[in-house]
Amino acid sequence: AVIVNGFVCKNMKMVTANDFFLPGLNKPGKLNAQGSAVTPVTVRQLAGLNTLGISLARIDFGPNGGQNPPHTHPRGSEILTVITGQLLVGFVTSNQADGKNLLFTKQLVEGDVFVFPQGLIHFQVNNGKVPAVAIAALSSQDAGVITIANAVFGSTPPISDLILAKAFMTEKDTVDWIQAKFAPAMSGN
Amino acid sequence: AVIVNGFVCKNMKMVTANDFFLPGLNKPGKLNAQGSAVTPVTVRQLAGLNTLGISLARIDFGPNGGQNPPHTHPRGSEILTVITGQLLVGFVTSNQADGKNLLFTKQLVEGDVFVFPQGLIHFQVNNGKVPAVAIAALSSQDAGVITIANAVFGSTPPISDLILAKAFMTEKDTVDWIQAKFAPAMSGN
Amino acid sequence: AVIVNGFVCKNMKMVTANDFFLPGLNKPGKLNAQGSAVTPVTVRQLAGLNTLGISLARIDFGPNGGQNPPHTHPRGSEILTVITGQLLVGFVTSNQADGKNLLFTKQLVEGDVFVFPQGLIHFQVNNGKVPAVAIAALSSQDAGVITIANAVFGSTPPISDLILAKAFMTEKDTVDWIQAKFAPAMSGN
Amino acid sequence: AVIVNGFVCKNMKMVTANDFFLPGLNKPGKLNAQGSAVTPVTVRQLAGLNTLGISLARIDFGPNGGQNPPHTHPRGSEILTVITGQLLVGFVTSNQADGKNLLFTKQLVEGDVFVFPQGLIHFQVNNGKVPAVAIAALSSQDAGVITIANAVFGSTPPISDLILAKAFMTEKDTVDWIQAKFAPAMSGN
Amino acid sequence: AVIVNGFVCKNMKMVTANDFFLPGLNKPGKLNAQGSAVTPVTVRQLAGLNTLGISLARIDFGPNGGQNPPHTHPRGSEILTVITGQLLVGFVTSNQADGKNLLFTKQLVEGDVFVFPQGLIHFQVNNGKVPAVAIAALSSQDAGVITIANAVFGSTPPISDLILAKAFMTEKDTVDWIQAKFAPAMSGN
Amino acid sequence: AVIVNGFVCKNMKMVTANDFFLPGLNKPGKLNAQGSAVTPVTVRQLAGLNTLGISLARIDFGPNGGQNPPHTHPRGSEILTVITGQLLVGFVTSNQADGKNLLFTKQLVEGDVFVFPQGLIHFQVNNGKVPAVAIAALSSQDAGVITIANAVFGSTPPISDLILAKAFMTEKDTVDWIQAKFAPAMSGN
């Protein structure tokens, strides 16, 4: 079997339309602790995306504050469309020359489109009273996701609490408290 | 003003969240002669997409055969999600070693995802009895669209009917007949 | 054996000058039904092109209208040089903002160079009385070729005539007529 | 003046060796609140880097815990060399299939080289008793820096404490406490 | 005027077929001191090549040893076709693990194709008794040319003869002798 | 084992911090005939660099003229930092429109940074009385090195002395003399 980019590249004679197909994006995912669910459609789920430089995700949000918490995509930009409901979205710029990190936020309703540039920390929150659904497309076949809180406070093994206390200018106890919440057993995704 | 990729790159101090925002994708477009409507969200409509390598379109399909006719995107791959209704979709491979061009088709329903590799001729047809809506993401900030019939039979000025008659192995009169249908006055898009 | 891009990457100790060599581009190809012949020099014929981002083709044209019919290269731009004879060449832009597809044509003679941007539909016709020969270079090791008429009217299996009739704003019978001409048995290339 | 990538591209007749030169990387920077100082050499400081896909930084670390706190580079990978002293370094993977974020750490001494893949959260801590110095090269002319704590808890304007409390599975008061520490007046970098 | 890549990008309404056209590649260039002439077709001569990633050159060779001396293209690979005559061609690999630089050579005749990978030192010599002509395509709109002898021994100002004597393991007098031959007044190209 | 870019891509479960680590850059290399030593840190030495687009080298220079002789990197730009001592550095442009190759030189001292654009011939000479050390980063995981003198006068097998005599506008005897110095047995690197 020929491997390209680490994924099998089928012999042309064996290829069928199903290699470019994935069903089920009409079904909500199971909400996580923050009240959101990401259903990914990357090259890992849909082999035909290999070498094509694009992927997708459906994102579900529970009502009254369900959130897709601050995260980054290390290898892709994102363009999001609100299919149902309303979302407060935002992203933070990388460090500016004056030492600031600018937050840009926007209240979105059904049919609104918003863009999150590659690698920037961003989030989406359902501040409506009904569930919300969005489709997010990414400029990579496998853009990756780094959920900031999980990666910083819930890594395996944990980052030293002394290091994080200094980084977040807080007490070691506070770090321990947050880390306990993100202990691996709880970090379902 | 700084120009990057031919588009204005705003001074950071002037940037606002609206530069990354476009409303209105919840509204159907006006159907064309083939019964479809494409509402694009490229860098031409949404400036914040500049350099980000991604764009979007909403596609509406009238019932009973509304189609997005055979076309290509010269600079991008496409990943399509059916939001409402059902679609018969297909793409044709580039010339194979045995001289064939393989057609891959798939019947899609709500929530189905399908991929069209860069530059290949593809189409979508609503073979249901109600309107259909899809969201298509493209791996370029401005992937371009070439509607095959319009480009071949409706260009300005027209391609010589002698050339097309030989290319399509048909009569000059048949080419003239089709070209008359695509006279520029009619090729609204 | 190490595979890169789907092609074998020889151990350096086994590499010889022949891996970067292909003879025979001085010989005309066998003309097809449209009076042209393409002799490709891509990574499929010349292994040393792997990862180098370039390829080549010799194109022969019969006299009095031999044509390389409208086609696209999904993964490359083309720069063509007329070696012998004369050619009428043209390409059609992707859809413009005003709904038009602009045709640019040029009469070429020996020693003339012309450029066809990536993914655009283009053609070359020998409108002279003697055979013509051109060398075309492409900005990819395997740019692909999509002959429009073959892909649209001669695919395997065929695209539904109902779909094509609507796309080309013509009758089902006309589509059937053209499709019959491009039945796979005849679509040698 | 010709602008390329948003930066002036000098007329060749005006170019001198100084356009490719920057002095001063032998001097330590001024340590910030976490005990580190980054002296960047990007296209913003050294114009000749434009289009070259590489940049550099000197990083100074105070003794006994001076740290370059968890951060990402949205547009580049990093290769770091310890010039003086010792460093504990680490990075966290993007979310894995099992929901984990793996932490990889390594104790470095003088002459050790370590790699941080693009977009991943990473940090360096001087766990020695004398100052440490490192040279970090990045695979972009302007890779960007996002200091996680500053971007999440010190943005301008701040991210809602309700959103962050849910994201970090902690109390609103704890968020307020950390945010107060990162109020813009203090976030010099 | 919009500038892209440092070159003017015409308004679409002003574009004509001539922007993609250059005549004259059927005419031999004027041979230089080594008995060759390169007639380039890059974005500098043919504006329509901008952003297309490809360019071309005609190379003429005088009989009995006319040569295109050892040179590199810093930004492109080359694929060469012999149109008339015969050529001895060769390229040298970059430094191998065993400290060697391997030379690959091939005797070419009319219709032969040969590939020179990006950045490697290569040459072509007409070892026939009649003039030779080749078409060389390059994988960049402006691949650049570095003629090794001119750059090393004929730069403006010259490289110190002490430095070159050590580099070429020869005497300062020998370097002076060669440098005198390449004094700028003589280095026409 | 999955191969990407010709290098093994480890299963994530087997990856450790050591895959991103290489020790020993604090130790000087063994000086070659020109009085320099390059200690490379490319994907060939440090597997974790695969796909990351960056690499490194330590360069040592003996006192009083130790040099890293004129060379190119066919696949990368270089940014160099002087760690210890002083260096005279320079690069030569590709052929300019007026037939010149411009030399840009700069005297560097400790802490100075200098940039060498991709593919251009460049050199560094220690014109101080004590050893010098530099760190050079390159914009590729494996940028390659072509030492001009070795590749031109010391290839295996040698380039014909007749060809080189004409290229360097010198006598065959002079070429033979230089080639004898670079006979493979002596070209240690």
Side-chain angles (χ1 to χ4, degrees), chain D residues 66-89:
Chain D
Q67 72 168 247
N68 190 8
H71 63 284
T72 69
H73 303 294
R75 291 181 301 276
S77 295
E78 176 179 339
I79 182 167
L80 175 143
T81 309
V82 180
I83 303 297
T84 311
Q86 68 177 64
L87 292 174
L88 177 71
V89 302

Side-chain angles (χ1 to χ4, degrees), chain B residues 116-165:
Chain B
F116 305 100
Q118 178 169 340
L120 300 190
I121 297 176
H122 60 290
F123 60 89
Q124 300 109 16
V125 181
N126 180 359
N127 56 358
K129 298 183 177 172
V130 296
V133 180
I135 294 286
L138 296 132
S139 64
S140 164
Q141 68 178 40
D142 187 18
V145 183
I146 300 172
T147 306
I148 299 296
N150 293 55
V152 173
F153 291 98
S155 68
T156 305
I159 300 178
S160 150
D161 50 5
L162 280 170
I163 292 175
L164 292 182

Side-chain angles (χ1 to χ4, degrees), chain C residues 26-147:
Chain C
N26 55 329
K27 292 179 191 146
K30 185 163 172 260
L31 301 185
N32 61 16
Q34 279 76 32
S36 67
V38 174
T39 306
V41 185
T42 75
V43 70
R44 296 172 191 276
Q45 290 82 32
L46 179 41
L49 286 172
N50 199 7
T51 78
L52 298 191
I54 200 160
S55 59
L56 207 72
R58 171 190 168 123
I59 318 177
D60 287 282
F61 302 85
N64 304 312
Q67 73 169 249
N68 190 8
H71 63 283
T72 69
H73 304 293
R75 293 181 299 276
S77 294
E78 175 179 340
I79 183 167
L80 175 143
T81 308
V82 180
I83 302 298
T84 310
Q86 68 177 64
L87 292 174
L88 177 72
V89 301
F91 70 83
V92 184
T93 67
S94 56
N95 304 355
Q96 297 300 296
D98 59 4
K100 291 188 181 170
N101 296 88
L102 305 178
L103 171 68
F104 292 111
T105 57
K106 186 77 186 172
Q107 177 64 48
L108 304 184
V109 296
E110 198 181 308
D112 285 355
V113 175
F114 201 80
V115 179
F116 305 99
Q118 178 168 341
L120 299 191
I121 297 175
H122 60 289
F123 59 88
Q124 300 110 15
V125 181
N126 179 359
N127 55 357
K129 298 183 176 172
V130 296
V133 180
I135 296 285
L138 297 133
S139 63
S140 164
Q141 68 178 40
D142 188 18
V145 183
I146 301 171
T147 306

Side-chain angles (χ1 to χ4, degrees), chain A residues 40-168:
Chain A
V41 185
T42 76
V43 69
R44 296 171 191 277
Q45 290 83 32
L46 178 42
L49 285 172
N50 199 7
T51 78
L52 298 191
I54 200 160
S55 59
L56 208 71
R58 172 189 168 125
I59 318 176
D60 287 282
F61 302 85
N64 304 312
Q67 72 171 249
N68 190 7
H71 63 284
T72 68
H73 303 294
R75 292 181 301 275
S77 294
E78 175 178 339
I79 183 167
L80 175 145
T81 308
V82 180
I83 303 297
T84 311
Q86 68 177 63
L87 293 174
L88 177 71
V89 301
F91 70 82
V92 183
T93 68
S94 56
N95 303 356
Q96 298 299 296
D98 59 3
K100 292 188 180 169
N101 296 87
L102 305 177
L103 171 68
F104 292 110
T105 56
K106 187 77 187 172
Q107 178 64 48
L108 304 184
V109 296
E110 197 181 309
D112 285 355
V113 174
F114 200 79
V115 179
F116 305 99
Q118 178 167 342
L120 300 191
I121 297 175
H122 60 288
F123 60 88
Q124 300 110 15
V125 180
N126 180 359
N127 56 358
K129 299 182 175 172
V130 296
V133 180
I135 295 286
L138 296 133
S139 63
S140 164
Q141 67 178 41
D142 187 17
V145 184
I146 301 171
T147 306
I148 299 296
N150 293 55
V152 173
F153 291 97
S155 67
T156 306
I159 300 176
S160 148
D161 52 4
L162 280 171
I163 291 174
L164 291 182
K166 185 177 260 190
F168 287 82

Side-chain angles (χ1 to χ4, degrees), chain A residues 97-100 169, chain D residues 31-34 36 150 182-189:
Chain A
D98 59 3
K100 292 188 180 169
M169 296 205 280
Chain D
L31 301 185
N32 61 16
Q34 278 78 32
S36 67
N150 293 54
F182 283 95
M186 302 189 56
S187 70
N189 182 30

Side-chain angles (χ1 to χ4, degrees), chain D residues 12-13 15-27 41 46 48-49 51-56 77-83 91 93 96 98 102 104-108 110-118 135 137-140, chain F residues 12-13 15-27 41 46 48-49 51-56 77-83 91 93 96 98 102 104-108 110-118 135 137-140:
Chain D
M12 193 63 194
K13 292 186 196 305
V15 172
T16 73
N18 287 333
D19 293 315
F20 301 90
F21 168 71
L22 194 79
L25 229 56
N26 55 329
K27 292 178 191 148
V41 185
L46 178 42
L49 285 172
T51 78
L52 298 191
I54 200 161
S55 59
L56 209 71
S77 295
E78 176 179 339
I79 182 167
L80 175 143
T81 309
V82 180
I83 303 297
F91 70 83
T93 67
Q96 298 300 295
D98 59 3
L102 304 177
F104 292 111
T105 57
K106 186 77 186 172
Q107 178 64 49
L108 303 184
E110 198 181 308
D112 284 355
V113 174
F114 201 80
V115 179
F116 305 99
Q118 179 169 339
I135 295 286
L138 296 133
S139 64
S140 164
Chain F
M12 193 65 194
K13 292 187 194 306
V15 173
T16 73
N18 286 335
D19 294 313
F20 301 91
F21 168 72
L22 194 78
L25 230 55
N26 55 329
K27 292 179 191 147
V41 185
L46 178 41
L49 285 172
T51 78
L52 297 191
I54 201 160
S55 60
L56 208 72
S77 294
E78 175 178 340
I79 184 168
L80 175 144
T81 309
V82 181
I83 303 298
F91 70 82
T93 67
Q96 298 299 297
D98 59 4
L102 305 178
F104 292 111
T105 57
K106 187 77 186 172
Q107 178 63 49
L108 303 183
E110 197 181 311
D112 285 356
V113 174
F114 200 80
V115 179
F116 305 99
Q118 178 168 341
I135 294 286
L138 296 134
S139 63
S140 163

